[in-house]
Amino acid sequence: VDELRPVMGGTSAIVSGLDNRLAAARVHAQRASDDVDQAAAMAVRAASELQATAHKLLTRLALHDERQRAAETELRAAVRQYVVDETAQQLDALRDEALERVRAASAELSIEGA
């Protein structure tokens, strides 16, 4: 038995050292787990912020597209009105010219008939 005591004492020291290492490994593992949890929470927050930013950008883009369509519609209406106004002016000028010719022709006929 006395001969086994040094061996048992050495074994006890080895077991104690392994226990200490195991305890240290558990602490490190817990810290790593906490770090992973913290990183995951940060990733979730970042994803949420990105989603909110994307939503804002899409909303702005939709507003921009809507304003652009409204501006294009307004421009087309203005061009149509310009064409109508120009056509009306040209028709008025042609009518006035035709009336002048009719008056002139009527005057000639009156002079010839007299």
Side-chain angles (χ1 to χ4, degrees):
V1 175
D2 288 335
E3 290 176 10
L4 291 177
R5 280 194 187 154
V7 173
M8 291 178 66
T11 304
S12 178
I14 291 172
V15 169
S16 177
L18 289 174
D19 283 343
N20 290 340
R21 286 185 183 172
L22 181 60
R26 283 184 181 145
V27 168
H28 287 296
Q30 184 60 48
R31 286 182 187 156
S33 176
D34 292 345
D35 289 347
V36 167
D37 289 345
Q38 188 177 18
M42 289 172 61
V44 167
R45 281 193 302 274
S48 178
E49 289 173 9
L50 282 172
Q51 184 179 16
T53 300
H55 179 70
K56 286 178 188 176
L57 289 173
L58 289 173
T59 300
R60 287 181 186 167
L61 183 60
L63 278 173
H64 175 73
D65 287 347
E66 186 177 320
R67 288 178 186 157
Q68 184 176 354
R69 282 191 298 275
E72 289 170 355
T73 300
E74 191 176 319
L75 179 61
R76 281 192 292 276
V79 168
R80 267 190 240 114
Q81 187 60 47
Y82 174 78
V83 169
V84 166
D85 292 346
E86 282 296 309
T87 303
Q89 287 178 359
Q90 290 173 2
L91 288 174
D92 287 346
L94 288 173
R95 182 198 66 217
D96 292 345
E97 185 180 328
L99 284 173
E100 189 59 39
R101 286 183 181 174
V102 168
R103 285 186 196 124
S106 182
E108 278 185 37
L109 288 175
S110 295
I111 295 174
E112 288 178 12

XYZ file of all heavy atoms in Angstrom:
857
model
N 0.846 -1.187 0.000
C 0.000 0.000 0.000
C 0.885 1.242 0.000
O 0.577 2.216 -0.678
C -0.948 -0.021 1.213
C -1.756 1.242 1.305
C -1.846 -1.226 1.156
N 1.933 1.236 0.802
C 2.818 2.399 0.832
C 3.463 2.647 -0.527
O 3.736 3.799 -0.877
C 3.907 2.203 1.888
C 3.351 2.319 3.300
O 2.301 3.011 3.439
O 3.930 1.763 4.219
N 3.694 1.584 -1.226
C 4.311 1.744 -2.539
C 3.333 2.392 -3.527
O 3.732 3.070 -4.466
C 4.734 0.375 -3.085
C 5.886 -0.224 -2.340
C 6.217 -1.620 -2.824
O 5.678 -2.042 -3.864
O 7.000 -2.268 -2.152
N 2.042 2.198 -3.346
C 1.040 2.752 -4.271
C 0.701 4.211 -3.962
O 0.177 4.909 -4.808
C -0.244 1.909 -4.213
C -0.122 0.506 -4.781
C -1.430 -0.252 -4.606
C 0.242 0.553 -6.259
N 1.006 4.683 -2.768
C 0.665 6.061 -2.399
C 1.296 7.094 -3.322
O 0.611 8.033 -3.741
C 1.068 6.324 -0.943
C 0.050 5.779 -0.029
C 0.230 6.294 1.361
N -0.736 5.538 2.163
C -0.628 5.293 3.414
N 0.404 5.752 4.070
N -1.535 4.618 4.044
N 2.546 7.007 -3.668
C 3.098 8.001 -4.594
C 2.410 7.963 -5.958
O 2.166 8.998 -6.573
C 4.561 7.622 -4.729
C 4.877 6.763 -3.569
C 3.578 6.123 -3.163
N 2.060 6.765 -6.399
C 1.380 6.630 -7.691
C -0.007 7.245 -7.595
O -0.448 7.978 -8.473
C 1.310 5.145 -8.109
C 0.459 4.970 -9.346
C 2.702 4.597 -8.339
N -0.704 6.954 -6.482
C -2.054 7.495 -6.289
C -2.007 9.009 -6.114
O -2.881 9.722 -6.601
C -2.721 6.833 -5.090
C -3.052 5.377 -5.353
S -3.774 4.550 -3.954
C -5.306 5.378 -3.776
N -0.993 9.499 -5.443
C -0.848 10.949 -5.276
C -0.610 11.632 -6.617
O -1.150 12.691 -6.899
N 0.205 11.007 -7.457
C 0.458 11.553 -8.791
C -0.792 11.515 -9.641
O -1.084 12.436 -10.396
N -1.564 10.440 -9.501
C -2.821 10.314 -10.248
C -3.806 11.373 -9.792
O -4.504 11.989 -10.593
C -3.420 8.906 -10.054
O -2.467 7.932 -10.436
C -4.681 8.730 -10.857
N -3.842 11.604 -8.509
C -4.728 12.618 -7.945
C -4.362 13.998 -8.490
O -5.244 14.800 -8.814
C -4.628 12.600 -6.428
O -5.432 13.598 -5.860
N -3.092 14.286 -8.591
C -2.643 15.570 -9.144
C -3.036 15.693 -10.614
O -3.451 16.761 -11.073
C -1.138 15.720 -8.975
N -2.906 14.599 -11.335
C -3.283 14.606 -12.757
C -4.789 14.864 -12.897
O -5.230 15.679 -13.699
C -2.865 13.288 -13.445
C -1.344 13.208 -13.546
C -3.497 13.171 -14.826
C -0.822 11.865 -14.028
N -5.581 14.158 -12.094
C -7.039 14.313 -12.128
C -7.406 15.742 -11.748
O -8.264 16.378 -12.373
C -7.733 13.287 -11.218
C -9.213 13.623 -11.047
C -7.561 11.883 -11.773
N -6.746 16.274 -10.733
C -7.016 17.645 -10.298
C -6.676 18.637 -11.420
O -7.425 19.580 -11.692
C -6.211 17.957 -9.042
O -6.416 19.292 -8.645
N -5.545 18.423 -12.075
C -5.148 19.283 -13.193
C -6.142 19.201 -14.333
O -6.490 20.216 -14.948
N -6.630 17.976 -14.604
C -7.633 17.800 -15.665
C -8.947 18.485 -15.297
O -9.610 19.095 -16.144
C -7.860 16.312 -15.950
C -6.710 15.584 -16.651
C -7.006 14.091 -16.751
C -6.454 16.169 -18.033
N -9.310 18.389 -14.010
C -10.528 19.064 -13.541
C -10.406 20.573 -13.725
O -11.358 21.241 -14.152
C -10.806 18.744 -12.069
C -11.405 17.354 -11.872
O -11.893 16.777 -12.880
O -11.389 16.869 -10.729
N -9.240 21.102 -13.400
C -9.020 22.546 -13.560
C -9.106 22.951 -15.032
O -9.690 23.977 -15.383
C -7.667 22.962 -12.977
C -7.653 22.890 -11.462
O -8.702 22.900 -10.820
N -6.472 22.791 -10.870
N -8.502 22.140 -15.885
C -8.547 22.429 -17.322
C -9.983 22.342 -17.850
O -10.409 23.154 -18.672
C -7.658 21.470 -18.099
C -6.194 21.765 -17.948
C -5.367 20.871 -18.812
N -3.948 21.125 -18.614
C -2.997 20.393 -19.113
N -3.305 19.322 -19.833
N -1.740 20.682 -18.901
N -10.712 21.347 -17.373
C -12.110 21.181 -17.772
C -12.932 22.392 -17.323
O -13.744 22.921 -18.094
C -12.687 19.889 -17.200
C -14.136 19.567 -17.555
C -14.309 19.449 -19.060
C -14.575 18.273 -16.879
N -12.705 22.828 -16.099
C -13.419 24.010 -15.597
C -13.073 25.233 -16.432
O -13.954 26.036 -16.789
C -13.078 24.240 -14.129
N -11.808 25.405 -16.781
C -11.390 26.540 -17.604
C -12.011 26.436 -19.001
O -12.464 27.447 -19.575
C -9.867 26.593 -17.699
N -12.070 25.227 -19.534
C -12.675 25.022 -20.857
C -14.159 25.367 -20.823
O -14.688 25.965 -21.760
C -12.464 23.587 -21.321
N -14.828 25.014 -19.725
C -16.253 25.350 -19.586
C -16.451 26.864 -19.544
O -17.389 27.393 -20.141
C -16.820 24.708 -18.326
C -17.076 23.244 -18.474
C -17.724 22.671 -17.228
N -17.935 21.245 -17.386
C -17.842 20.368 -16.420
N -17.542 20.755 -15.190
N -18.058 19.088 -16.656
N -15.582 27.562 -18.824
C -15.665 29.036 -18.755
C -15.478 29.625 -20.146
O -16.229 30.507 -20.577
C -14.625 29.594 -17.759
C -14.504 31.112 -17.889
C -14.989 29.206 -16.330
N -14.465 29.134 -20.871
C -14.219 29.631 -22.228
C -15.398 29.327 -23.151
O -15.798 30.166 -23.960
C -12.933 29.026 -22.797
C -11.695 29.580 -22.185
N -11.321 30.904 -22.299
C -10.725 28.984 -21.434
C -10.188 31.100 -21.654
N -9.795 29.952 -21.115
N -15.959 28.130 -23.010
C -17.098 27.740 -23.834
C -18.299 28.644 -23.539
O -19.012 29.057 -24.455
C -17.451 26.271 -23.609
N -18.515 28.946 -22.267
C -19.630 29.819 -21.891
C -19.430 31.218 -22.462
O -20.356 31.822 -22.977
C -19.795 29.869 -20.364
C -20.998 30.682 -19.912
C -22.306 30.128 -20.452
O -22.570 28.935 -20.375
N -23.131 30.991 -21.026
N -18.181 31.713 -22.359
C -17.880 33.036 -22.926
C -18.107 33.032 -24.435
O -18.669 33.976 -24.992
C -16.448 33.436 -22.609
C -16.239 33.838 -21.169
C -14.818 34.270 -20.916
N -14.577 34.494 -19.492
C -13.400 34.437 -18.915
N -12.325 34.157 -19.634
N -13.274 34.650 -17.632
N -17.667 31.976 -25.089
C -17.854 31.868 -26.546
C -19.337 31.812 -26.878
O -19.795 32.455 -27.832
C -17.133 30.634 -27.083
N -20.093 31.073 -26.086
C -21.538 30.985 -26.298
C -22.192 32.356 -26.117
O -23.056 32.750 -26.902
C -22.146 29.977 -25.331
O -23.548 29.942 -25.460
N -21.766 33.067 -25.086
C -22.288 34.419 -24.859
C -21.937 35.329 -26.024
O -22.762 36.140 -26.475
C -21.734 35.000 -23.552
C -22.263 34.272 -22.311
O -23.255 33.522 -22.443
O -21.667 34.459 -21.229
N -20.701 35.219 -26.522
C -20.276 36.029 -27.668
C -21.115 35.718 -28.902
O -21.512 36.613 -29.642
C -18.792 35.811 -27.973
C -17.872 36.415 -26.920
O -18.366 37.216 -26.083
O -16.674 36.076 -26.917
N -21.386 34.429 -29.107
C -22.208 34.025 -30.258
C -23.617 34.588 -30.102
O -24.197 35.109 -31.058
C -22.234 32.487 -30.397
C -23.308 32.039 -31.374
C -20.873 31.980 -30.852
N -24.173 34.499 -28.897
C -25.514 35.049 -28.659
C -25.533 36.548 -28.918
O -26.471 37.074 -29.532
C -25.964 34.771 -27.219
C -26.278 33.298 -26.974
O -26.414 32.554 -27.960
O -26.385 32.918 -25.788
N -24.509 37.236 -28.451
C -24.427 38.681 -28.650
C -24.290 39.013 -30.139
O -24.935 39.924 -30.646
C -23.244 39.249 -27.866
C -23.191 40.760 -27.855
C -22.042 41.279 -26.996
O -21.113 40.555 -26.689
N -22.118 42.535 -26.630
N -23.463 38.257 -30.836
C -23.283 38.472 -32.277
C -24.580 38.208 -33.025
O -24.939 38.940 -33.952
C -22.161 37.591 -32.812
N -25.306 37.180 -32.635
C -26.582 36.866 -33.273
C -27.586 37.991 -33.042
O -28.310 38.388 -33.957
C -27.129 35.541 -32.750
N -27.629 38.516 -31.831
C -28.536 39.629 -31.533
C -28.170 40.860 -32.367
O -29.053 41.546 -32.894
C -28.501 39.958 -30.042
N -26.879 41.122 -32.509
C -26.443 42.251 -33.332
C -26.828 42.029 -34.793
O -27.260 42.970 -35.481
C -24.931 42.437 -33.193
C -24.506 42.974 -31.833
S -22.715 42.975 -31.582
C -22.157 44.044 -32.878
N -26.689 40.804 -35.267
C -27.050 40.492 -36.655
C -28.546 40.685 -36.878
O -28.962 41.208 -37.912
C -26.633 39.067 -36.998
N -29.353 40.282 -35.911
C -30.807 40.460 -36.022
C -31.144 41.945 -36.065
O -31.966 42.387 -36.874
C -31.538 39.747 -34.864
C -32.988 40.173 -34.774
C -31.429 38.247 -35.022
N -30.503 42.744 -35.200
C -30.746 44.197 -35.205
C -30.330 44.812 -36.535
O -31.043 45.640 -37.108
C -30.004 44.868 -34.049
C -30.697 44.732 -32.711
C -30.111 45.666 -31.656
N -28.694 45.479 -31.406
C -28.177 44.596 -30.557
N -28.976 43.806 -29.866
N -26.886 44.509 -30.384
N -29.160 44.403 -37.027
C -28.672 44.942 -38.305
C -29.611 44.564 -39.443
O -29.917 45.390 -40.303
C -27.260 44.423 -38.583
N -30.094 43.331 -39.443
C -31.033 42.893 -40.485
C -32.328 43.697 -40.410
O -32.879 44.103 -41.434
C -31.321 41.405 -40.347
N -32.788 43.952 -39.210
C -34.004 44.746 -39.027
C -33.802 46.171 -39.537
O -34.671 46.745 -40.210
C -34.393 44.754 -37.547
O -35.526 45.547 -37.343
N -32.646 46.756 -39.227
C -32.342 48.106 -39.703
C -32.232 48.143 -41.222
O -32.720 49.071 -41.870
C -31.045 48.612 -39.070
C -31.175 48.921 -37.588
C -29.845 49.252 -36.925
O -28.835 49.403 -37.637
O -29.826 49.348 -35.689
N -31.609 47.112 -41.791
C -31.504 47.035 -43.251
C -32.882 46.914 -43.886
O -33.160 47.539 -44.908
C -30.628 45.852 -43.665
C -29.133 46.061 -43.530
C -28.397 44.749 -43.796
C -28.639 47.135 -44.481
N -33.738 46.126 -43.287
C -35.088 45.956 -43.816
C -35.844 47.282 -43.754
O -36.528 47.656 -44.706
C -35.832 44.883 -43.026
C -37.210 44.574 -43.571
C -37.905 43.485 -42.774
O -37.504 43.169 -41.663
N -38.932 42.914 -43.341
N -35.719 47.997 -42.653
C -36.385 49.298 -42.520
C -35.845 50.288 -43.552
O -36.616 51.026 -44.176
C -36.199 49.839 -41.095
N -34.538 50.293 -43.748
C -33.935 51.189 -44.730
C -34.397 50.833 -46.138
O -34.731 51.713 -46.934
C -32.397 51.124 -44.644
O -32.005 51.517 -43.314
C -31.737 52.035 -45.648
N -34.435 49.547 -46.438
C -34.904 49.108 -47.759
C -36.350 49.529 -47.976
O -36.714 49.986 -49.064
C -34.762 47.592 -47.889
N -37.179 49.402 -46.949
C -38.578 49.815 -47.055
C -38.681 51.316 -47.336
O -39.461 51.740 -48.192
C -39.332 49.457 -45.773
C -40.763 49.860 -45.794
N -41.690 49.234 -46.588
C -41.421 50.851 -45.146
C -42.871 49.815 -46.417
N -42.723 50.799 -45.547
N -37.878 52.107 -46.621
C -37.880 53.562 -46.841
C -37.457 53.889 -48.272
O -38.066 54.735 -48.933
C -36.932 54.257 -45.858
C -37.448 54.330 -44.446
C -36.415 54.984 -43.539
C -36.815 54.900 -42.087
N -35.783 55.434 -41.196
N -36.405 53.215 -48.737
C -35.920 53.472 -50.098
C -36.962 53.074 -51.143
O -37.166 53.799 -52.125
C -34.605 52.738 -50.345
C -33.395 53.299 -49.591
C -32.187 52.385 -49.779
C -33.070 54.709 -50.053
N -37.606 51.943 -50.940
C -38.640 51.517 -51.881
C -39.820 52.479 -51.879
O -40.389 52.779 -52.933
C -39.105 50.096 -51.553
C -38.097 48.997 -51.871
C -38.597 47.649 -51.341
C -37.836 48.914 -53.362
N -40.160 52.995 -50.704
C -41.246 53.975 -50.611
C -40.866 55.251 -51.351
O -41.671 55.808 -52.111
C -41.567 54.282 -49.131
O -41.954 53.070 -48.487
C -42.679 55.305 -49.009
N -39.633 55.713 -51.153
C -39.168 56.910 -51.856
C -39.154 56.687 -53.363
O -39.514 57.570 -54.136
C -37.779 57.311 -51.380
C -37.771 57.916 -50.004
C -36.384 58.307 -49.585
N -36.357 58.750 -48.205
C -35.274 58.919 -47.514
N -34.089 58.681 -48.052
N -35.328 59.329 -46.263
N -38.714 55.512 -53.774
C -38.672 55.189 -55.197
C -40.079 55.186 -55.782
O -40.301 55.714 -56.878
C -37.995 53.835 -55.412
C -37.822 53.385 -56.853
C -36.967 54.385 -57.628
C -37.185 52.016 -56.903
N -41.022 54.616 -55.052
C -42.413 54.595 -55.526
C -42.956 56.006 -55.648
O -43.627 56.341 -56.630
C -43.282 53.764 -54.571
N -42.659 56.861 -54.658
C -43.093 58.264 -54.729
C -42.458 58.961 -55.928
O -43.122 59.715 -56.642
C -42.715 59.008 -53.442
C -43.657 58.825 -52.269
C -43.063 59.470 -51.010
C -45.001 59.432 -52.563
N -41.168 58.704 -56.138
C -40.467 59.309 -57.264
C -41.108 58.863 -58.581
O -41.359 59.686 -59.466
C -38.984 58.933 -57.237
C -38.219 59.408 -58.414
N -37.889 60.732 -58.593
C -37.744 58.757 -59.501
C -37.236 60.872 -59.732
N -37.136 59.677 -60.303
N -41.382 57.567 -58.708
C -42.017 57.049 -59.921
C -43.393 57.670 -60.125
O -43.760 58.036 -61.242
C -42.138 55.523 -59.854
C -40.806 54.814 -60.043
O -39.830 55.480 -60.459
O -40.742 53.599 -59.775
N -44.148 57.810 -59.030
C -45.484 58.407 -59.111
C -45.387 59.867 -59.550
O -46.142 60.314 -60.419
C -46.167 58.302 -57.748
C -47.608 58.766 -57.749
C -48.252 58.581 -56.384
O -47.994 57.550 -55.740
O -49.003 59.482 -55.985
N -44.450 60.595 -58.986
C -44.265 61.998 -59.380
C -43.820 62.104 -60.834
O -44.249 62.990 -61.557
C -43.236 62.664 -58.470
C -43.750 62.923 -57.077
C -42.692 63.529 -56.195
N -43.152 63.654 -54.822
C -42.372 63.727 -53.788
N -41.066 63.694 -53.932
N -42.870 63.848 -52.578
N -42.944 61.196 -61.236
C -42.474 61.213 -62.618
C -43.630 60.934 -63.570
O -43.773 61.610 -64.589
C -41.356 60.180 -62.816
C -40.760 60.214 -64.212
C -39.588 59.251 -64.364
O -39.161 58.641 -63.398
N -39.099 59.135 -65.562
N -44.470 59.954 -63.248
C -45.634 59.658 -64.097
C -46.574 60.853 -64.148
O -47.108 61.188 -65.209
C -46.365 58.416 -63.586
C -45.681 57.113 -63.951
C -46.573 55.910 -63.669
N -46.929 55.762 -62.273
C -46.188 55.139 -61.368
N -45.041 54.605 -61.718
N -46.585 55.044 -60.120
N -46.779 61.501 -63.009
C -47.655 62.679 -62.976
C -47.076 63.799 -63.838
O -47.812 64.472 -64.575
C -47.850 63.153 -61.534
N -45.756 63.999 -63.752
C -45.110 65.038 -64.554
C -45.224 64.713 -66.043
O -45.474 65.610 -66.867
C -43.649 65.189 -64.149
N -45.047 63.450 -66.406
C -45.173 63.045 -67.811
C -46.599 63.257 -68.305
O -46.813 63.740 -69.421
C -44.758 61.579 -67.979
C -43.269 61.358 -67.821
C -42.893 59.879 -67.751
O -43.806 59.016 -67.738
O -41.685 59.594 -67.693
N -47.577 62.928 -67.481
C -48.979 63.132 -67.847
C -49.272 64.613 -68.037
O -49.933 65.020 -68.998
C -49.903 62.534 -66.760
O -49.630 61.142 -66.644
C -51.360 62.748 -67.081
N -48.746 65.423 -67.123
C -48.936 66.877 -67.209
C -48.283 67.433 -68.480
O -48.848 68.280 -69.165
C -48.337 67.529 -65.970
C -48.684 68.984 -65.808
C -48.152 69.551 -64.504
O -48.233 68.858 -63.473
O -47.652 70.681 -64.534
N -47.100 66.934 -68.795
C -46.401 67.378 -69.999
C -47.186 66.996 -71.249
O -47.343 67.812 -72.162
C -44.997 66.775 -70.048
C -44.149 67.129 -71.272
C -43.927 68.637 -71.361
C -42.829 66.400 -71.237
N -47.695 65.759 -71.301
C -48.490 65.332 -72.464
C -49.731 66.210 -72.608
O -50.100 66.597 -73.727
C -48.885 63.861 -72.338
C -47.769 62.904 -72.717
C -48.289 61.477 -72.871
N -48.726 60.877 -71.628
C -47.934 60.278 -70.757
N -46.640 60.190 -70.987
N -48.420 59.760 -69.658
N -50.380 66.524 -71.486
C -51.569 67.372 -71.531
C -51.207 68.772 -72.041
O -51.943 69.361 -72.844
C -52.216 67.456 -70.149
N -50.070 69.294 -71.588
C -49.639 70.624 -72.036
C -49.332 70.620 -73.536
O -49.694 71.556 -74.252
C -48.422 71.079 -71.247
N -48.683 69.561 -74.010
C -48.373 69.459 -75.448
C -49.665 69.356 -76.241
O -49.823 70.029 -77.278
C -47.445 68.245 -75.716
C -47.360 67.937 -77.202
C -46.060 68.510 -75.151
N -50.614 68.530 -75.776
C -51.914 68.430 -76.458
C -52.601 69.783 -76.530
O -53.124 70.164 -77.579
C -52.820 67.428 -75.732
C -52.734 66.046 -76.283
C -53.818 65.141 -75.691
N -53.108 64.068 -75.019
C -53.089 63.827 -73.728
N -53.795 64.543 -72.907
N -52.366 62.846 -73.235
N -52.601 70.501 -75.415
C -53.259 71.816 -75.379
C -52.568 72.780 -76.341
O -53.216 73.553 -77.036
C -53.261 72.390 -73.956
C -54.073 73.652 -73.816
C -55.538 73.435 -74.191
O -56.159 72.478 -73.752
N -56.076 74.320 -75.007
N -51.226 72.716 -76.390
C -50.480 73.574 -77.319
C -50.876 73.265 -78.766
O -51.121 74.166 -79.566
C -48.981 73.375 -77.122
C -48.138 74.120 -78.125
C -47.913 75.486 -77.984
C -47.604 73.466 -79.230
C -47.153 76.181 -78.918
C -46.844 74.149 -80.174
C -46.621 75.501 -80.012
O -45.866 76.189 -80.941
N -50.943 71.963 -79.081
C -51.317 71.561 -80.438
C -52.736 72.038 -80.758
O -52.996 72.564 -81.842
C -51.178 70.032 -80.613
C -51.801 69.559 -81.915
C -49.712 69.636 -80.549
N -53.645 71.871 -79.806
C -55.030 72.326 -80.012
C -55.057 73.834 -80.230
O -55.719 74.331 -81.149
C -55.922 71.916 -78.813
C -57.248 72.640 -78.830
C -56.133 70.409 -78.809
N -54.332 74.579 -79.387
C -54.307 76.041 -79.516
C -53.714 76.471 -80.853
O -54.258 77.360 -81.529
C -53.519 76.677 -78.361
C -54.224 76.529 -77.017
O -55.431 76.182 -77.010
O -53.556 76.754 -75.982
N -52.603 75.859 -81.237
C -51.965 76.192 -82.512
C -52.892 75.856 -83.679
O -53.025 76.636 -84.621
C -50.628 75.451 -82.666
C -49.506 76.062 -81.877
C -49.162 77.468 -82.350
O -48.956 77.670 -83.561
O -49.104 78.365 -81.492
N -53.525 74.704 -83.628
C -54.444 74.296 -84.688
C -55.622 75.271 -84.764
O -56.033 75.672 -85.858
C -54.939 72.858 -84.447
O -53.809 71.995 -84.362
C -55.849 72.391 -85.557
N -56.141 75.658 -83.611
C -57.256 76.613 -83.578
C -56.825 77.946 -84.184
O -57.580 78.563 -84.957
C -57.751 76.801 -82.146
N -55.619 78.407 -83.854
C -55.129 79.672 -84.428
C -54.984 79.565 -85.946
O -55.347 80.477 -86.682
C -53.795 80.067 -83.804
C -53.907 80.564 -82.382
C -52.543 80.900 -81.776
O -51.516 80.735 -82.413
N -52.568 81.360 -80.532
N -54.459 78.434 -86.395
C -54.297 78.231 -87.841
C -55.658 78.175 -88.534
O -55.846 78.760 -89.613
C -53.494 76.963 -88.122
C -52.036 77.077 -87.735
C -51.283 75.755 -87.860
O -51.854 74.744 -88.271
N -50.008 75.783 -87.525
N -56.608 77.491 -87.905
C -57.951 77.414 -88.486
C -58.617 78.789 -88.502
O -59.297 79.155 -89.479
C -58.817 76.410 -87.712
C -58.456 74.936 -87.911
C -59.299 74.062 -86.977
C -58.635 74.503 -89.353
N -58.421 79.550 -87.432
C -58.967 80.918 -87.399
C -58.361 81.761 -88.520
O -59.073 82.516 -89.199
C -58.699 81.581 -86.038
C -59.568 81.025 -84.929
O -60.559 80.333 -85.237
O -59.238 81.278 -83.744
N -57.051 81.623 -88.712
C -56.382 82.387 -89.769
C -56.905 81.957 -91.139
O -57.165 82.802 -92.017
C -54.867 82.196 -89.685
N -57.064 80.662 -91.364
C -57.604 80.166 -92.638
C -59.041 80.642 -92.852
O -59.425 81.037 -93.965
C -57.543 78.640 -92.690
C -56.150 78.028 -92.847
C -56.225 76.515 -92.717
C -55.536 78.419 -94.187
N -59.848 80.622 -91.781
C -61.228 81.102 -91.870
C -61.262 82.574 -92.221
O -62.000 83.005 -93.109
C -61.963 80.864 -90.539
C -63.437 81.312 -90.580
C -64.022 81.475 -89.204
N -63.326 82.585 -88.557
C -63.013 82.640 -87.280
N -63.319 81.658 -86.478
N -62.387 83.681 -86.771
N -60.408 83.367 -91.534
C -60.360 84.811 -91.815
C -59.936 85.064 -93.263
O -60.500 85.930 -93.946
C -59.404 85.517 -90.845
C -59.923 85.511 -89.410
O -61.126 85.220 -89.206
O -59.107 85.787 -88.490
N -58.955 84.293 -93.724
C -58.490 84.440 -95.108
C -59.595 84.060 -96.089
O -59.826 84.744 -97.105
C -57.255 83.551 -95.331
C -56.622 83.701 -96.691
C -55.404 82.801 -96.861
O -54.692 82.540 -95.874
O -55.185 82.356 -98.001
N -60.321 82.966 -95.781
C -61.418 82.537 -96.657
C -62.531 83.577 -96.672
O -63.088 83.892 -97.744
C -61.953 81.186 -96.197
N -62.860 84.138 -95.517
C -63.885 85.178 -95.455
C -63.463 86.408 -96.252
O -64.289 87.030 -96.961
C -64.182 85.571 -94.000
C -65.024 84.586 -93.198
C -65.090 85.024 -91.730
C -66.420 84.463 -93.781
N -62.194 86.759 -96.142
C -61.669 87.903 -96.897
C -61.796 87.647 -98.393
O -62.171 88.537 -99.160
C -60.217 88.159 -96.504
C -59.641 89.427 -97.044
C -60.417 90.676 -96.589
O -60.859 90.740 -95.425
O -60.582 91.577 -97.425
N -61.495 86.424 -98.834
C -61.615 86.080 -100.250
C -63.075 86.118 -100.701
O -63.380 86.572 -101.799
C -61.027 84.685 -100.514
C -59.528 84.657 -100.478
C -59.015 83.287 -100.811
N -57.562 83.227 -100.749
C -56.869 82.134 -100.874
N -57.474 80.968 -101.057
N -55.560 82.161 -100.820
N -63.957 85.601 -99.819
C -65.380 85.631 -100.152
C -65.845 87.071 -100.274
O -66.574 87.437 -101.216
C -66.213 84.863 -99.104
C -67.697 85.135 -99.260
C -65.930 83.382 -99.193
N -65.432 87.933 -99.367
C -65.812 89.361 -99.437
C -65.269 90.005 -100.703
O -65.953 90.784 -101.370
C -65.297 90.091 -98.200
C -66.084 89.815 -96.971
C -65.608 90.696 -95.805
N -66.115 90.157 -94.566
C -65.392 89.810 -93.520
N -64.077 89.987 -93.552
N -65.945 89.331 -92.449
N -63.992 89.662 -100.985
C -63.380 90.242 -102.183
C -64.114 89.764 -103.435
O -64.410 90.557 -104.351
C -61.898 89.883 -102.250
N -64.426 88.460 -103.466
C -65.134 87.921 -104.627
C -66.529 88.514 -104.714
O -67.020 88.851 -105.804
C -65.199 86.401 -104.551
N -67.179 88.665 -103.605
C -68.520 89.250 -103.561
C -68.485 90.699 -104.027
O -69.347 91.151 -104.773
C -69.060 89.143 -102.153
O -70.374 89.651 -102.062
N -67.439 91.395 -103.609
C -67.280 92.810 -104.029
C -67.071 92.874 -105.533
O -67.620 93.753 -106.216
C -66.144 93.456 -103.266
N -66.269 91.970 -106.075
C -66.019 91.968 -107.534
C -67.312 91.687 -108.281
O -67.584 92.286 -109.315
C -64.977 90.890 -107.877
C -63.553 91.340 -107.660
C -62.551 90.274 -108.134
O -62.827 89.630 -109.158
O -61.528 90.117 -107.457
N -68.102 90.716 -107.736
C -69.350 90.387 -108.399
C -70.308 91.568 -108.337
O -71.057 91.840 -109.292
C -70.002 89.154 -107.767
C -69.322 87.830 -108.042
C -69.991 86.722 -107.252
C -69.358 87.488 -109.533
N -70.296 92.289 -107.266
C -71.172 93.454 -107.123
C -70.767 94.524 -108.112
O -71.605 95.196 -108.719
C -71.116 94.029 -105.700
O -71.626 93.108 -104.805
N -69.439 94.713 -108.285
C -68.945 95.725 -109.217
C -69.278 95.307 -110.640
O -69.713 96.112 -111.460
C -67.433 95.937 -109.039
C -67.147 96.525 -107.666
C -66.861 96.804 -110.142
C -65.697 96.644 -107.334
N -69.093 94.053 -110.968
C -69.354 93.546 -112.316
C -70.851 93.579 -112.594
O -71.282 93.829 -113.734
C -68.833 92.118 -112.488
C -67.333 92.036 -112.563
C -66.833 90.589 -112.676
O -67.666 89.681 -112.926
O -65.643 90.378 -112.498
N -71.641 93.287 -111.582
C -73.095 93.257 -111.779
C -73.700 94.634 -111.846
O -74.784 94.840 -112.372
N -72.986 95.603 -111.436
C -73.546 96.959 -111.406
C -73.443 97.661 -112.707
O -73.169 97.433 -113.755
C -72.818 97.791 -110.363
